[in-house]
Amino acid sequence: MNSSTIMIIDDEPQMRKLIRMFLEKEGYSVIEATDGVHALSLLDETPPQLLIVDVMMPFMDGFTFAKEIKRTSTIPLIFLSAKGEEWDKIQGLKLGGDDYIVKPFLPGELLARVESVLRRSYQNKPIPDTLKVGPLVIDTSAHTAILNEIPLSLTVKEFGILHLLAKNKGRVYSREQLLHIVWGEEHQSSERTVDTHIKTLRLKMGTDGELIETVWGIGYKFGV
């Protein structure tokens, strides 16, 4: 499973949903922002390893966002736009964009460009693999989870669930989504298996097990 987190910044809900589906299918964690202003407010919470930024947005467009973020950050950035004119592409690259994708695009093209930018950007340094959310610290390279400075003894699936929910805190995942992402598309498990793993995970987390919240009729989320 990919350890990279990608932020999608686009004011079109359907476009965000589509890109999220492509990326999560490949194991990436995804954060959504509706515009540049919203994205800036989220960056300090869970810094992503890549930004996918729509050019045409209200409040703060993609080019303005790029100017702002590149002053203080080296996070790689892919522009996404329905405008495919050469001037727009050149402008995006001059502003620090690592790539420029024209809508509409094929899933394979998007994923190939995402992988290419991540590879180029982090080939000489490791992608950050430590996540801190409240009292929880997860190290994906060491495959460890520490809660209130106490290591948790987790199975592979429990670790996968905790990592996914913590990286996307506040987002609700259905049982079916958890099965597809953590167990894989070829899984033969039932949704009840997810409930069993969640129950065991909460027990191991002690009083902090309540951080994994049940959203009745839908699924689970990390509630910090």
Side-chain angles (χ1 to χ4, degrees), residues 25-38:
K25 191 175 181 182
E26 296 300 312
Y28 293 103
S29 294
V30 177
I31 302 170
E32 293 185 30
T34 55
D35 56 66
V37 175
H38 184 203

Side-chain angles (χ1 to χ4, degrees), residues 128-163:
D129 51 15
T130 301
L131 171 69
K132 188 176 189 306
V133 186
L136 177 67
V137 179
I138 295 176
D139 186 331
T140 54
S141 63
H143 212 267
T144 59
I146 298 174
L147 184 62
N148 291 316
E149 302 184 357
I150 300 173
L152 298 176
S153 178
L154 305 178
T155 66
V156 172
K157 295 299 187 290
E158 289 167 356
F159 183 87
I161 292 171
L162 182 61
H163 183 232

